[in-house]
Amino acid sequence: VAQGEPSAPEQPKPKFTVQLSSFQDRHEAESFLSTMKSAGHQAYLTEAEVSGKGTFYRIRLGTFRSLDAANAAKADYEKSSSKPASVMKL
């Protein structure tokens, strides 16, 4: 980079989360979230507009700085709950 020229901004590192479930009904999502929290999971709810399909309420677990960490959390969740989960890039 020549003097006086701005350097390229650093690319933010990707982050990941584990999506436990997704609902179109907010009440169902909040009920599932409550169940996950009472089971000791640090779960949270996000809303997303899906083109042509409406609003989805997603129950997610954690924010991870690496895919390996997210996959480990997914495996732990699936082992303890016997339910599938998905790793999502944030």
Side-chain angles (χ1 to χ4, degrees):
V1 176
Q3 262 190 324
E5 284 184 39
S7 60
E10 266 190 56
Q11 292 297 314
K13 288 195 180 268
K15 290 183 184 159
F16 302 90
T17 188
V18 178
Q19 186 163 301
L20 307 181
S21 197
S22 181
F23 300 87
Q24 285 189 282
D25 181 275
R26 185 178 187 104
H27 182 71
E28 284 182 54
E30 288 174 346
S31 177
F32 183 77
L33 176 62
S34 179
T35 301
M36 290 299 97
K37 285 186 171 185
S38 66
H41 298 289
Q42 299 293 316
Y44 62 95
L45 185 146
T46 64
E47 286 184 34
E49 287 296 321
V50 178
S51 181
K53 294 185 179 181
T55 303
F56 279 78
Y57 303 94
R58 298 170 174 166
I59 307 303
R60 293 181 167 176
L61 184 67
T63 301
F64 304 93
R65 295 190 182 275
S66 74
L67 183 57
D68 287 343
N71 279 324
K74 173 185 181 284
D76 287 346
Y77 169 78
E78 289 178 339
K79 188 175 175 183
S80 69
S81 70
S82 299
K83 293 183 170 139
S86 303
V87 171
M88 311 295 282
K89 192 172 180 179
L90 293 174

